[in-house]
Amino acid sequence: PVQYTASDGRFRLGVLTDAGHGTAHITDALGGCDALLLECNHDPAMLAASNYPPSLKARIGGPYGHLSNAAAAQVLAALDRSRLSMVVAAHLSQQNNTPELAHAAVHQVVGETCEIRVACQHDGFGWIGAGAS
């Protein structure tokens, strides 16, 4: 799992991947961020229907695997989002997710209250500079 925050004293960035599910520690640590890079790895139905072997499906979809779109949305919903202005959905599976599904999961929680970007495997996402919206 990767979870950290970085701050310059004014703005705070949070990063979360490979946690499998949310915890109270994650909620406490990532609450109050201005921006969040959040794993939205897979859609559970797509993963279940994939040609991955059962052991890989279990690891990816398990409680200590990758964050599904729904699990990412649950984590996001539990956070203090009062300062949140941007969410980047990241670490999307090429076989078991789509940018549209990841975006929809994040949008379901934040609506129009902040910018949503999706980092795809091949394209990543563009530079986000100071003052970017």
Short mmCIF file of all heavy atoms in Angstrom, two decimals, residues 52-120:
data_model
loop_
_atom_site.label_atom_id
_atom_site.label_comp_id
_atom_site.label_asym_id
_atom_site.label_seq_id
_atom_site.Cartn_x
_atom_site.Cartn_y
_atom_site.Cartn_z
N TYR A 52 -8.57 -13.31 -16.00
CA TYR A 52 -7.54 -13.48 -14.98
C TYR A 52 -7.78 -14.78 -14.22
O TYR A 52 -8.94 -15.16 -14.00
CB TYR A 52 -7.57 -12.34 -13.96
CG TYR A 52 -7.01 -11.01 -14.42
CD1 TYR A 52 -6.61 -10.78 -15.73
CD2 TYR A 52 -6.89 -9.98 -13.52
CE1 TYR A 52 -6.11 -9.55 -16.12
CE2 TYR A 52 -6.38 -8.74 -13.90
CZ TYR A 52 -6.00 -8.54 -15.20
OH TYR A 52 -5.49 -7.33 -15.58
N PRO A 53 -6.72 -15.44 -13.77
CA PRO A 53 -6.92 -16.64 -12.95
C PRO A 53 -7.59 -16.27 -11.62
O PRO A 53 -7.43 -15.14 -11.13
CB PRO A 53 -5.51 -17.17 -12.72
CG PRO A 53 -4.57 -16.16 -13.24
CD PRO A 53 -5.32 -15.15 -14.02
N PRO A 54 -8.32 -17.21 -11.03
CA PRO A 54 -9.03 -16.92 -9.77
C PRO A 54 -8.12 -16.36 -8.67
O PRO A 54 -8.54 -15.48 -7.93
CB PRO A 54 -9.62 -18.28 -9.38
CG PRO A 54 -9.78 -19.00 -10.68
CD PRO A 54 -8.63 -18.55 -11.53
N SER A 55 -6.90 -16.85 -8.57
CA SER A 55 -6.00 -16.36 -7.52
C SER A 55 -5.67 -14.88 -7.72
O SER A 55 -5.58 -14.13 -6.75
CB SER A 55 -4.72 -17.20 -7.47
OG SER A 55 -4.02 -17.10 -8.71
N LEU A 56 -5.50 -14.45 -8.96
CA LEU A 56 -5.20 -13.05 -9.24
C LEU A 56 -6.43 -12.19 -8.99
O LEU A 56 -6.33 -11.09 -8.42
CB LEU A 56 -4.71 -12.88 -10.68
CG LEU A 56 -4.29 -11.47 -11.10
CD1 LEU A 56 -3.23 -10.88 -10.16
CD2 LEU A 56 -3.81 -11.48 -12.54
N LYS A 57 -7.60 -12.67 -9.39
CA LYS A 57 -8.84 -11.94 -9.11
C LYS A 57 -9.01 -11.75 -7.60
O LYS A 57 -9.40 -10.67 -7.15
CB LYS A 57 -10.05 -12.70 -9.66
CG LYS A 57 -10.14 -12.70 -11.16
CD LYS A 57 -11.38 -13.49 -11.59
CE LYS A 57 -11.46 -13.64 -13.08
NZ LYS A 57 -12.67 -14.35 -13.51
N ALA A 58 -8.72 -12.80 -6.84
CA ALA A 58 -8.87 -12.71 -5.38
C ALA A 58 -7.89 -11.72 -4.78
O ALA A 58 -8.23 -10.96 -3.87
CB ALA A 58 -8.68 -14.09 -4.75
N ARG A 59 -6.65 -11.70 -5.29
CA ARG A 59 -5.66 -10.76 -4.76
C ARG A 59 -6.03 -9.32 -5.11
O ARG A 59 -6.02 -8.44 -4.24
CB ARG A 59 -4.26 -11.07 -5.32
CG ARG A 59 -3.19 -10.15 -4.74
CD ARG A 59 -1.81 -10.43 -5.29
NE ARG A 59 -1.67 -10.18 -6.70
CZ ARG A 59 -1.54 -8.96 -7.25
NH1 ARG A 59 -1.57 -7.88 -6.50
NH2 ARG A 59 -1.38 -8.83 -8.54
N ILE A 60 -6.39 -9.07 -6.35
CA ILE A 60 -6.74 -7.71 -6.78
C ILE A 60 -7.98 -7.21 -6.04
O ILE A 60 -8.03 -6.08 -5.56
CB ILE A 60 -6.97 -7.66 -8.30
CG1 ILE A 60 -5.64 -7.87 -9.03
CG2 ILE A 60 -7.62 -6.34 -8.72
CD1 ILE A 60 -5.79 -8.08 -10.53
N GLY A 61 -9.01 -8.06 -5.96
CA GLY A 61 -10.28 -7.64 -5.39
C GLY A 61 -10.41 -7.85 -3.90
O GLY A 61 -11.43 -7.51 -3.30
N GLY A 62 -9.37 -8.37 -3.27
CA GLY A 62 -9.43 -8.66 -1.85
C GLY A 62 -9.26 -7.43 -0.98
O GLY A 62 -8.97 -6.32 -1.46
N PRO A 63 -9.42 -7.60 0.32
CA PRO A 63 -9.38 -6.45 1.24
C PRO A 63 -8.01 -5.78 1.35
O PRO A 63 -7.91 -4.68 1.88
CB PRO A 63 -9.79 -7.06 2.58
CG PRO A 63 -9.50 -8.52 2.46
CD PRO A 63 -9.68 -8.86 1.01
N TYR A 64 -6.97 -6.42 0.83
CA TYR A 64 -5.63 -5.82 0.85
C TYR A 64 -5.06 -5.72 -0.55
O TYR A 64 -3.85 -5.63 -0.72
CB TYR A 64 -4.71 -6.61 1.78
CG TYR A 64 -5.26 -6.67 3.18
CD1 TYR A 64 -5.87 -7.82 3.66
CD2 TYR A 64 -5.23 -5.54 3.99
CE1 TYR A 64 -6.41 -7.84 4.94
CE2 TYR A 64 -5.78 -5.56 5.27
CZ TYR A 64 -6.36 -6.72 5.73
OH TYR A 64 -6.92 -6.74 6.98
N GLY A 65 -5.93 -5.69 -1.54
CA GLY A 65 -5.51 -5.59 -2.93
C GLY A 65 -5.61 -4.16 -3.43
O GLY A 65 -5.22 -3.21 -2.76
N HIS A 66 -6.17 -4.03 -4.61
CA HIS A 66 -6.34 -2.72 -5.22
C HIS A 66 -7.70 -2.13 -4.83
O HIS A 66 -8.64 -2.85 -4.57
CB HIS A 66 -6.24 -2.83 -6.74
CG HIS A 66 -4.89 -3.23 -7.23
ND1 HIS A 66 -3.78 -2.45 -7.04
CD2 HIS A 66 -4.46 -4.33 -7.90
CE1 HIS A 66 -2.73 -3.04 -7.57
NE2 HIS A 66 -3.12 -4.19 -8.11
N LEU A 67 -7.78 -0.82 -4.83
CA LEU A 67 -9.04 -0.15 -4.56
C LEU A 67 -9.92 -0.21 -5.81
O LEU A 67 -9.52 0.25 -6.88
CB LEU A 67 -8.83 1.31 -4.19
CG LEU A 67 -8.29 1.61 -2.79
CD1 LEU A 67 -7.86 3.07 -2.69
CD2 LEU A 67 -9.32 1.28 -1.74
N SER A 68 -11.09 -0.78 -5.66
CA SER A 68 -12.07 -0.74 -6.74
C SER A 68 -12.62 0.67 -6.84
O SER A 68 -12.40 1.51 -5.94
CB SER A 68 -13.21 -1.72 -6.47
OG SER A 68 -13.99 -1.26 -5.37
N ASN A 69 -13.35 0.94 -7.91
CA ASN A 69 -14.01 2.25 -8.02
C ASN A 69 -14.91 2.50 -6.82
O ASN A 69 -14.91 3.59 -6.24
CB ASN A 69 -14.83 2.32 -9.30
CG ASN A 69 -13.98 2.26 -10.56
OD1 ASN A 69 -12.82 2.65 -10.56
ND2 ASN A 69 -14.57 1.76 -11.63
N ALA A 70 -15.67 1.48 -6.44
CA ALA A 70 -16.60 1.64 -5.30
C ALA A 70 -15.85 1.85 -3.99
O ALA A 70 -16.25 2.69 -3.17
CB ALA A 70 -17.50 0.41 -5.20
N ALA A 71 -14.75 1.11 -3.78
CA ALA A 71 -13.98 1.29 -2.55
C ALA A 71 -13.34 2.67 -2.51
O ALA A 71 -13.29 3.31 -1.45
CB ALA A 71 -12.91 0.20 -2.43
N ALA A 72 -12.86 3.14 -3.65
CA ALA A 72 -12.29 4.50 -3.71
C ALA A 72 -13.36 5.53 -3.37
O ALA A 72 -13.10 6.49 -2.63
CB ALA A 72 -11.70 4.76 -5.09
N ALA A 73 -14.55 5.34 -3.90
CA ALA A 73 -15.64 6.27 -3.60
C ALA A 73 -16.00 6.25 -2.12
O ALA A 73 -16.27 7.30 -1.53
CB ALA A 73 -16.87 5.94 -4.45
N GLN A 74 -15.97 5.08 -1.50
CA GLN A 74 -16.24 4.98 -0.06
C GLN A 74 -15.18 5.72 0.74
O GLN A 74 -15.50 6.42 1.71
CB GLN A 74 -16.32 3.52 0.37
CG GLN A 74 -17.56 2.82 -0.10
CD GLN A 74 -17.55 1.33 0.23
OE1 GLN A 74 -16.50 0.73 0.48
NE2 GLN A 74 -18.72 0.73 0.22
N VAL A 75 -13.92 5.55 0.38
CA VAL A 75 -12.84 6.27 1.06
C VAL A 75 -13.06 7.77 0.90
O VAL A 75 -13.01 8.53 1.87
CB VAL A 75 -11.46 5.86 0.51
CG1 VAL A 75 -10.37 6.82 0.97
CG2 VAL A 75 -11.12 4.43 0.91
N LEU A 76 -13.31 8.20 -0.32
CA LEU A 76 -13.51 9.62 -0.60
C LEU A 76 -14.70 10.18 0.18
O LEU A 76 -14.62 11.28 0.75
CB LEU A 76 -13.71 9.81 -2.10
CG LEU A 76 -13.72 11.22 -2.66
CD1 LEU A 76 -12.46 11.99 -2.29
CD2 LEU A 76 -13.91 11.16 -4.16
N ALA A 77 -15.76 9.43 0.25
CA ALA A 77 -16.96 9.89 0.97
C ALA A 77 -16.70 10.06 2.47
O ALA A 77 -17.32 10.91 3.11
CB ALA A 77 -18.11 8.91 0.75
N ALA A 78 -15.79 9.27 3.02
CA ALA A 78 -15.51 9.32 4.46
C ALA A 78 -14.57 10.46 4.85
O ALA A 78 -14.47 10.80 6.02
CB ALA A 78 -14.91 7.99 4.92
N LEU A 79 -13.89 11.05 3.87
CA LEU A 79 -12.88 12.08 4.16
C LEU A 79 -13.50 13.44 4.43
O LEU A 79 -14.57 13.77 3.93
CB LEU A 79 -11.95 12.25 2.95
CG LEU A 79 -11.10 11.07 2.54
CD1 LEU A 79 -10.27 11.45 1.31
CD2 LEU A 79 -10.20 10.60 3.67
N ASP A 80 -12.76 14.25 5.18
CA ASP A 80 -13.06 15.67 5.29
C ASP A 80 -12.67 16.28 3.94
O ASP A 80 -11.49 16.35 3.60
CB ASP A 80 -12.26 16.30 6.42
CG ASP A 80 -12.27 17.82 6.41
OD1 ASP A 80 -13.03 18.43 5.62
OD2 ASP A 80 -11.49 18.40 7.18
N ARG A 81 -13.66 16.68 3.15
CA ARG A 81 -13.42 17.23 1.81
C ARG A 81 -13.59 18.74 1.77
O ARG A 81 -13.72 19.33 0.70
CB ARG A 81 -14.37 16.56 0.80
CG ARG A 81 -14.17 15.05 0.69
CD ARG A 81 -15.05 14.42 -0.36
NE ARG A 81 -16.46 14.78 -0.26
CZ ARG A 81 -17.35 14.21 0.55
NH1 ARG A 81 -16.97 13.25 1.37
NH2 ARG A 81 -18.61 14.60 0.56
N SER A 82 -13.55 19.39 2.90
CA SER A 82 -13.81 20.83 2.97
C SER A 82 -12.81 21.66 2.17
O SER A 82 -13.13 22.76 1.73
CB SER A 82 -13.86 21.31 4.42
OG SER A 82 -12.62 21.07 5.06
N ARG A 83 -11.60 21.17 1.98
CA ARG A 83 -10.58 21.90 1.23
C ARG A 83 -10.31 21.29 -0.14
O ARG A 83 -9.54 21.83 -0.92
CB ARG A 83 -9.27 21.93 2.02
CG ARG A 83 -9.36 22.72 3.30
CD ARG A 83 -8.07 22.68 4.07
NE ARG A 83 -6.92 22.96 3.21
CZ ARG A 83 -5.71 23.23 3.65
NH1 ARG A 83 -5.47 23.25 4.93
NH2 ARG A 83 -4.72 23.46 2.82
N LEU A 84 -10.93 20.17 -0.42
CA LEU A 84 -10.61 19.41 -1.63
C LEU A 84 -11.02 20.16 -2.89
O LEU A 84 -12.18 20.52 -3.06
CB LEU A 84 -11.31 18.05 -1.58
CG LEU A 84 -10.86 17.00 -2.58
CD1 LEU A 84 -9.39 16.63 -2.36
CD2 LEU A 84 -11.73 15.75 -2.46
N SER A 85 -10.05 20.39 -3.77
CA SER A 85 -10.36 21.08 -5.03
C SER A 85 -10.07 20.22 -6.25
O SER A 85 -10.48 20.56 -7.35
CB SER A 85 -9.58 22.40 -5.13
OG SER A 85 -8.19 22.15 -5.15
N MET A 86 -9.34 19.10 -6.06
CA MET A 86 -9.03 18.23 -7.19
C MET A 86 -8.85 16.79 -6.73
O MET A 86 -8.22 16.53 -5.70
CB MET A 86 -7.75 18.67 -7.90
CG MET A 86 -7.40 17.78 -9.09
SD MET A 86 -5.95 18.33 -9.98
CE MET A 86 -6.58 19.84 -10.68
N VAL A 87 -9.41 15.88 -7.53
CA VAL A 87 -9.18 14.45 -7.34
C VAL A 87 -8.68 13.90 -8.66
O VAL A 87 -9.27 14.15 -9.72
CB VAL A 87 -10.46 13.69 -6.92
CG1 VAL A 87 -10.19 12.20 -6.81
CG2 VAL A 87 -11.01 14.23 -5.62
N VAL A 88 -7.57 13.16 -8.60
CA VAL A 88 -7.06 12.46 -9.77
C VAL A 88 -7.28 10.98 -9.53
O VAL A 88 -6.73 10.39 -8.60
CB VAL A 88 -5.56 12.75 -10.00
CG1 VAL A 88 -5.04 11.94 -11.19
CG2 VAL A 88 -5.32 14.24 -10.20
N ALA A 89 -8.14 10.38 -10.35
CA ALA A 89 -8.35 8.94 -10.30
C ALA A 89 -7.16 8.29 -11.03
O ALA A 89 -6.85 8.66 -12.16
CB ALA A 89 -9.66 8.57 -10.98
N ALA A 90 -6.50 7.36 -10.37
CA ALA A 90 -5.25 6.82 -10.90
C ALA A 90 -5.17 5.31 -10.75
O ALA A 90 -5.99 4.69 -10.09
CB ALA A 90 -4.06 7.47 -10.18
N HIS A 91 -4.13 4.74 -11.38
CA HIS A 91 -3.82 3.31 -11.33
C HIS A 91 -4.98 2.48 -11.86
O HIS A 91 -5.32 1.44 -11.31
CB HIS A 91 -3.41 2.90 -9.92
CG HIS A 91 -2.69 1.58 -9.89
ND1 HIS A 91 -2.85 0.71 -8.86
CD2 HIS A 91 -1.83 1.00 -10.75
CE1 HIS A 91 -2.12 -0.38 -9.08
NE2 HIS A 91 -1.48 -0.20 -10.22
N LEU A 92 -5.61 2.95 -12.93
CA LEU A 92 -6.72 2.23 -13.55
C LEU A 92 -6.20 0.99 -14.27
O LEU A 92 -5.21 1.06 -15.00
CB LEU A 92 -7.43 3.10 -14.58
CG LEU A 92 -8.49 4.07 -14.09
CD1 LEU A 92 -7.91 5.16 -13.23
CD2 LEU A 92 -9.26 4.64 -15.25
N SER A 93 -6.88 -0.11 -14.09
CA SER A 93 -6.57 -1.33 -14.82
C SER A 93 -7.00 -1.14 -16.28
O SER A 93 -8.10 -0.67 -16.56
CB SER A 93 -7.33 -2.51 -14.22
OG SER A 93 -7.26 -3.64 -15.07
N GLN A 94 -6.13 -1.54 -17.20
CA GLN A 94 -6.47 -1.46 -18.61
C GLN A 94 -7.54 -2.49 -18.99
O GLN A 94 -8.33 -2.25 -19.90
CB GLN A 94 -5.24 -1.68 -19.48
CG GLN A 94 -4.26 -0.53 -19.41
CD GLN A 94 -3.05 -0.77 -20.27
OE1 GLN A 94 -2.27 -1.68 -19.99
NE2 GLN A 94 -2.90 0.02 -21.31
N GLN A 95 -7.56 -3.62 -18.31
CA GLN A 95 -8.49 -4.69 -18.63
C GLN A 95 -9.78 -4.65 -17.83
O GLN A 95 -10.80 -5.15 -18.27
CB GLN A 95 -7.84 -6.07 -18.41
CG GLN A 95 -6.72 -6.41 -19.35
CD GLN A 95 -5.41 -5.76 -18.97
OE1 GLN A 95 -5.17 -5.41 -17.82
NE2 GLN A 95 -4.56 -5.54 -19.96
N ASN A 96 -9.74 -4.07 -16.64
CA ASN A 96 -10.86 -4.20 -15.71
C ASN A 96 -11.46 -2.88 -15.26
O ASN A 96 -12.08 -2.81 -14.21
CB ASN A 96 -10.41 -5.01 -14.49
CG ASN A 96 -9.92 -6.38 -14.89
OD1 ASN A 96 -10.62 -7.12 -15.56
ND2 ASN A 96 -8.70 -6.71 -14.51
N ASN A 97 -11.27 -1.83 -16.06
CA ASN A 97 -11.85 -0.53 -15.72
C ASN A 97 -11.89 0.32 -16.97
O ASN A 97 -11.26 -0.01 -17.98
CB ASN A 97 -11.03 0.17 -14.63
CG ASN A 97 -11.86 1.13 -13.80
OD1 ASN A 97 -13.03 1.34 -14.06
ND2 ASN A 97 -11.24 1.71 -12.79
N THR A 98 -12.59 1.42 -16.88
CA THR A 98 -12.58 2.43 -17.94
C THR A 98 -12.46 3.79 -17.28
O THR A 98 -12.87 3.96 -16.12
CB THR A 98 -13.88 2.41 -18.78
OG1 THR A 98 -14.98 2.83 -17.97
CG2 THR A 98 -14.15 1.02 -19.36
N PRO A 99 -11.90 4.76 -17.99
CA PRO A 99 -11.84 6.11 -17.43
C PRO A 99 -13.23 6.64 -17.07
O PRO A 99 -13.38 7.35 -16.06
CB PRO A 99 -11.19 6.94 -18.55
CG PRO A 99 -10.38 5.94 -19.32
CD PRO A 99 -11.18 4.67 -19.27
N GLU A 100 -14.22 6.30 -17.85
CA GLU A 100 -15.57 6.77 -17.59
C GLU A 100 -16.13 6.21 -16.27
O GLU A 100 -16.78 6.94 -15.51
CB GLU A 100 -16.50 6.39 -18.75
CG GLU A 100 -16.15 7.08 -20.06
CD GLU A 100 -14.98 6.45 -20.81
OE1 GLU A 100 -14.59 5.31 -20.51
OE2 GLU A 100 -14.43 7.12 -21.71
N LEU A 101 -15.90 4.93 -16.00
CA LEU A 101 -16.37 4.33 -14.75
C LEU A 101 -15.66 4.94 -13.54
O LEU A 101 -16.28 5.21 -12.51
CB LEU A 101 -16.19 2.82 -14.77
CG LEU A 101 -17.12 2.04 -15.69
CD1 LEU A 101 -16.71 0.56 -15.74
CD2 LEU A 101 -18.56 2.17 -15.24
N ALA A 102 -14.34 5.14 -13.65
CA ALA A 102 -13.58 5.74 -12.55
C ALA A 102 -14.07 7.17 -12.30
O ALA A 102 -14.30 7.55 -11.15
CB ALA A 102 -12.09 5.72 -12.87
N HIS A 103 -14.24 7.93 -13.36
CA HIS A 103 -14.72 9.31 -13.22
C HIS A 103 -16.10 9.33 -12.57
O HIS A 103 -16.36 10.14 -11.66
CB HIS A 103 -14.76 10.00 -14.58
CG HIS A 103 -15.11 11.44 -14.53
ND1 HIS A 103 -16.40 11.90 -14.38
CD2 HIS A 103 -14.33 12.55 -14.59
CE1 HIS A 103 -16.40 13.22 -14.36
NE2 HIS A 103 -15.15 13.64 -14.48
N ALA A 104 -16.97 8.44 -12.99
CA ALA A 104 -18.34 8.40 -12.44
C ALA A 104 -18.33 8.09 -10.95
O ALA A 104 -19.11 8.66 -10.18
CB ALA A 104 -19.18 7.37 -13.19
N ALA A 105 -17.45 7.19 -10.53
CA ALA A 105 -17.37 6.83 -9.10
C ALA A 105 -16.95 8.02 -8.26
O ALA A 105 -17.52 8.28 -7.19
CB ALA A 105 -16.40 5.67 -8.90
N VAL A 106 -15.97 8.77 -8.74
CA VAL A 106 -15.50 9.95 -8.01
C VAL A 106 -16.58 11.04 -8.06
O VAL A 106 -16.89 11.66 -7.04
CB VAL A 106 -14.16 10.46 -8.59
CG1 VAL A 106 -13.78 11.80 -7.97
CG2 VAL A 106 -13.06 9.43 -8.36
N HIS A 107 -17.15 11.24 -9.22
CA HIS A 107 -18.18 12.28 -9.38
C HIS A 107 -19.38 12.02 -8.50
O HIS A 107 -20.00 12.96 -7.99
CB HIS A 107 -18.60 12.38 -10.85
CG HIS A 107 -19.51 13.52 -11.13
ND1 HIS A 107 -20.87 13.40 -11.11
CD2 HIS A 107 -19.24 14.83 -11.40
CE1 HIS A 107 -21.41 14.57 -11.37
NE2 HIS A 107 -20.45 15.46 -11.56
N GLN A 108 -19.71 10.77 -8.29
CA GLN A 108 -20.84 10.41 -7.42
C GLN A 108 -20.66 10.99 -6.02
O GLN A 108 -21.63 11.34 -5.36
CB GLN A 108 -20.97 8.89 -7.36
CG GLN A 108 -22.11 8.39 -6.50
CD GLN A 108 -22.16 6.87 -6.48
OE1 GLN A 108 -21.43 6.18 -7.16
NE2 GLN A 108 -23.04 6.35 -5.65
N VAL A 109 -19.42 11.09 -5.58
CA VAL A 109 -19.14 11.60 -4.23
C VAL A 109 -18.96 13.12 -4.23
O VAL A 109 -19.53 13.81 -3.40
CB VAL A 109 -17.89 10.92 -3.63
CG1 VAL A 109 -17.55 11.52 -2.27
CG2 VAL A 109 -18.09 9.42 -3.53
N VAL A 110 -18.16 13.64 -5.15
CA VAL A 110 -17.81 15.06 -5.08
C VAL A 110 -18.69 15.94 -5.96
O VAL A 110 -18.67 17.17 -5.80
CB VAL A 110 -16.32 15.30 -5.41
CG1 VAL A 110 -15.43 14.57 -4.43
CG2 VAL A 110 -15.99 14.95 -6.85
N GLY A 111 -19.41 15.36 -6.90
CA GLY A 111 -20.23 16.16 -7.79
C GLY A 111 -19.42 17.21 -8.51
O GLY A 111 -18.35 16.93 -9.04
N GLU A 112 -19.92 18.43 -8.48
CA GLU A 112 -19.24 19.55 -9.15
C GLU A 112 -18.40 20.37 -8.17
O GLU A 112 -17.97 21.47 -8.51
CB GLU A 112 -20.28 20.44 -9.83
CG GLU A 112 -21.19 19.73 -10.81
CD GLU A 112 -20.43 19.09 -11.97
OE1 GLU A 112 -19.45 19.69 -12.45
OE2 GLU A 112 -20.83 17.98 -12.38
N THR A 113 -18.16 19.86 -6.96
CA THR A 113 -17.45 20.65 -5.95
C THR A 113 -15.95 20.72 -6.18
O THR A 113 -15.29 21.55 -5.58
CB THR A 113 -17.69 20.08 -4.54
OG1 THR A 113 -17.16 18.75 -4.46
CG2 THR A 113 -19.17 20.09 -4.19
N CYS A 114 -15.40 19.83 -7.02
CA CYS A 114 -13.98 19.91 -7.31
C CYS A 114 -13.70 19.33 -8.69
O CYS A 114 -14.53 18.63 -9.26
CB CYS A 114 -13.15 19.23 -6.23
SG CYS A 114 -13.28 17.46 -6.14
N GLU A 115 -12.51 19.63 -9.20
CA GLU A 115 -12.10 19.13 -10.50
C GLU A 115 -11.75 17.65 -10.38
O GLU A 115 -11.13 17.22 -9.40
CB GLU A 115 -10.89 19.91 -11.00
CG GLU A 115 -10.41 19.46 -12.36
CD GLU A 115 -9.25 20.28 -12.90
OE1 GLU A 115 -8.85 21.27 -12.26
OE2 GLU A 115 -8.75 19.91 -13.96
N ILE A 116 -12.13 16.88 -11.38
CA ILE A 116 -11.81 15.46 -11.43
C ILE A 116 -10.98 15.22 -12.69
O ILE A 116 -11.37 15.63 -13.79
CB ILE A 116 -13.08 14.59 -11.49
CG1 ILE A 116 -13.97 14.84 -10.28
CG2 ILE A 116 -12.69 13.10 -11.59
CD1 ILE A 116 -15.35 14.21 -10.41
N ARG A 117 -9.84 14.58 -12.52
CA ARG A 117 -9.02 14.15 -13.65
C ARG A 117 -8.83 12.65 -13.54
O ARG A 117 -8.86 12.09 -12.44
CB ARG A 117 -7.66 14.84 -13.65
CG ARG A 117 -7.76 16.32 -13.88
CD ARG A 117 -6.41 16.88 -14.21
NE ARG A 117 -6.47 18.34 -14.30
CZ ARG A 117 -5.49 19.05 -14.81
NH1 ARG A 117 -4.40 18.48 -15.26
NH2 ARG A 117 -5.61 20.36 -14.87
N VAL A 118 -8.60 12.02 -14.68
CA VAL A 118 -8.35 10.58 -14.71
C VAL A 118 -6.99 10.37 -15.36
O VAL A 118 -6.75 10.82 -16.48
CB VAL A 118 -9.44 9.82 -15.47
CG1 VAL A 118 -9.13 8.33 -15.53
CG2 VAL A 118 -10.82 10.06 -14.83
N ALA A 119 -6.11 9.69 -14.64
CA ALA A 119 -4.78 9.35 -15.16
C ALA A 119 -4.87 7.97 -15.79
O ALA A 119 -5.10 6.98 -15.09
CB ALA A 119 -3.75 9.37 -14.04
N CYS A 120 -4.71 7.91 -17.10
CA CYS A 120 -4.78 6.64 -17.80
C CYS A 120 -3.39 6.03 -17.95
O CYS A 120 -2.39 6.74 -17.88
CB CYS A 120 -5.42 6.84 -19.17
SG CYS A 120 -7.11 7.43 -19.06
#
